[in-house]
Amino acid sequence: MQLIACPWCGEREEAEFHYGGQAHVPYPAKPADLDDEQWAQYVFFRDNPKGPFAERWMHAAGCRRWFDALRDTATHQFLSVHRMGEEPRA
Amino acid sequence: MTVDAPARFSPLADWQEAFGRLPAGFQVRELPFLTQLTLRVSADSPAAKAVESVLGIRLPSASRAELSEEVKALWLGPDEWLLVAPADTGAELVGRLRSAIGEEFATVTDVSAQRTVLSLRGGLTREILARGCALDLDPRVAPVGACYTTLLAQTGITLVVRAEAAASVWLLVRSSFAPYAAAWLVDAATEYGGGAG
């Protein structure tokens, strides 16, 4: 099983983690000004790159903290992990 | 109609006999009704210092437990600890901690019913745990005082190493999962003899 390095707990089995989708998706600055299509873009549409992708993960069976990870979607290899609020990004 | 006073019972009260038939190198005992408090506080904040002065310990760092005093502190997360104290001391300890914290920001919550504590002892402990737990409990990796929240046979547990080479371990398991964890431990020990099978 693939090991994921939780920024707090160290390397643990993949089964202990939950996936949280794309990281760094900003909430709209003026939500009231958005039309339906812009809302749909914010709520439903995400990048789907082949290669490095900044994602949110949570160590559900351990410290229960969310963190950011940079993962290669083609190889499933984790390139780096960061605590919430820490840089760097992709 | 009379109303019975509510009786406290531990989730593993029915398992004492099965634990008694385990092989010689593996003893399991439930430590029922221990007081457990969840402490949420930022490390190194004034509130954390106040808690530390009440307990007489330093709050442990990641993946560690502080076992030296009567109240044990287990690291659960970067701003979260589990305080384990003798039974029936919860109300008094919560009061002492809250008055020490005062107006600073921290929360102390009694969660004693949430988990039960299993004490595992003996030379077979590490080998039997390895059958359901992916963590390396080799003493070079997991010395005395290591504290991991992880999965044992797909059940969430908090594991505290209390003696060299994991010859003594605490397992904290959710009350509703405790019978499953107990059944799994008894089953995993079957091949080592004893009368458990």
Side-chain angles (χ1 to χ4, degrees), chain B residues 5-77:
Chain B
R8 188 160 65 166
F9 64 94
S10 75
L12 297 180
D14 298 338
W15 282 84
Q16 305 312 318
E17 194 191 339
F19 290 159
R21 285 185 270 117
L22 288 169
F26 186 53
Q27 296 100 46
V28 176
R29 196 159 60 90
E30 187 191 15
L31 310 175
F33 311 133
L34 292 186
T35 296
Q36 298 168 50
L37 310 179
T38 294
L39 169 69
R40 296 296 302 264
V41 63
S42 291
D44 299 322
S45 65
K49 299 239 184 318
V51 169
E52 289 176 338
S53 69
V54 168
L55 301 178
I57 55 173
R58 291 291 312 275
L59 290 171
S61 56
S63 300
R64 298 285 304 167
E66 175 57 60
L67 307 169
S68 58
E69 294 295 323
E70 187 178 57
V71 179
K72 323 290 185 204
L74 280 51
W75 184 90
L76 292 188

Side-chain angles (χ1 to χ4, degrees), chain A residues 8 12-13 16 61-63 65, chain B residues 40 76 78-80 134 149-150:
Chain A
W8 298 102
R12 297 292 184 88
E13 287 196 324
E16 294 191 6
C63 60
R65 292 316 186 273
Chain B
R40 296 296 302 264
L76 292 188
D79 61 355
E80 184 174 3
T149 303
T150 184

Side-chain angles (χ1 to χ4, degrees), chain B residues 8 28 34 46 71 76 95 107 119-120 124 133 169-170 183 189 192:
Chain B
R8 188 160 65 166
V28 176
L34 292 186
V71 179
L76 292 188
T107 62
S119 167
L120 278 50
L124 287 173
C133 180
V169 161
W170 269 7
Y192 299 97

Side-chain angles (χ1 to χ4, degrees), chain B residues 118-193:
Chain B
L118 280 166
S119 167
L120 278 50
R121 284 174 173 279
L124 287 173
T125 304
R126 181 153 64 110
E127 191 169 328
I128 288 172
L129 286 177
R131 290 171 181 274
C133 180
L135 289 181
D136 188 356
L137 296 180
D138 187 283
R140 286 167 294 183
V141 183
V144 176
C147 174
Y148 303 121
T149 303
T150 184
L151 297 175
L152 173 71
Q154 294 145 54
T155 303
I157 53 153
T158 298
L159 184 156
V160 184
V161 178
R162 291 176 55 82
E164 195 62 27
S168 173
V169 161
W170 269 7
L171 287 189
L172 286 84
V173 59
R174 306 266 176 189
S175 295
S176 55
F177 282 87
Y180 167 77
W184 184 87
L185 286 169
V186 168
D187 180 64
T190 306
E191 66 183 274
Y192 299 97

